[in-house]
Amino acid sequence: MQPNAETFEAQRPRLLRLAYRMLGSRAEAEDVVQDAYLRWHKLDAAKIDSPAAYLSRIVTRLCLDAMKSAHAQRETYFGRWLPEPITEPKDDALRADNLTLTLMVALERLSPLERAAFLLHDVFETSVSEIAHTLNRDPEAVRQLASRARKHVQAERPRYVVGRDEGNRITHAFLAATRSGDIAALQSLLAQGVMMHSDGGGKVSAFPNVISGAANLLRLFAGLWRKHGTNESLIKLIWNDGLPGYVSTLNGVLQTTTLEIEHGQISAIYRTRNPDKLARLPLSHWASTTLARPQ
């Protein structure tokens, strides 16, 4: 392997995390990182003092360019937009920053520059001077961008870290209640202010608006039970970007369901059904393994 390639490969996991956190799509993140590799390969790496900083700069700028078109696409996106699922442990390389799906959703409310400043400063611990160089802004402007972003997402910072055993137990109980139509059991699992986000991308049926409140969700799941009965089939319990959940099919349509849990109750449900975002799930690998029920 050539020196340029060796240097780049050492940085690839970090660059992939940065690109995914900027874009919310593994496919787009991999495209950006590959573009950065092609550019890097043409340079004389020996003349670059800090390859890590230089490559982060390239990837960030490529992401900002990609986000311009992505922002326009999301303005016309049908219904809610959710990030592409990151199923662990296969994608642990993308999880080193310990962000959660909830915070990824909150990042969508930021401008591209705010998102870049926040991620680089608060998550990837990049110096203000280096961020200023990357974004072509002065240091004070960078501090203001990061501060505004921090205020916007502060409420979405994890307040309660759910353990693996508890997360799997509540996920299994939720799945059992929804599949059996046990509304009383479901009611005990849902927080009063629970919200449900559903992403079908206009390609499969999904709820275009956020559904808020336990009472509304109980009516929703009761209606789904009356309509579909037990036509939901579990494929595998998973952890999606730091939160527990599962992969299933409902009337033959593939979906992921991810649960945010606080103080023993479900505070948010994220359901992704857009087939484009589920195409990379390792279904063939899962089919060859046996699902282990949580204790």
Side-chain angles (χ1 to χ4, degrees), residues 217-231:
L217 275 178
L218 290 171
R219 284 193 292 270
L220 169 67
F221 282 111
L224 289 174
W225 164 252
R226 288 192 297 270
K227 184 176 181 179
H228 300 294
T230 57
N231 287 341

Side-chain angles (χ1 to χ4, degrees), residues 8 33 46 84 87 137 139 184-185 203 209 234 244 254:
F8 188 92
V33 172
E84 186 178 344
T87 57
R137 296 292 190 279
K203 300 188 175 184
N209 300 312
L234 175 66
L254 186 67

Side-chain angles (χ1 to χ4, degrees), residues 15-65:
L15 298 175
L16 188 58
R17 288 200 309 274
L18 173 59
Y20 171 75
R21 296 307 180 189
M22 286 284 289
L23 301 171
S25 165
R26 285 183 294 175
E28 292 177 10
E30 288 173 357
D31 287 345
V32 161
V33 172
Q34 185 59 25
D35 191 355
Y37 173 77
L38 295 176
R39 297 181 183 214
W40 171 258
H41 198 62
K42 297 176 182 178
L43 301 173
D44 183 355
K47 296 181 179 179
I48 297 173
D49 292 336
S50 175
Y54 189 88
L55 287 168
S56 292
R57 199 178 308 145
I58 292 175
V59 166
T60 300
R61 290 173 177 172
L62 288 172
C63 285
L64 288 171
D65 289 341

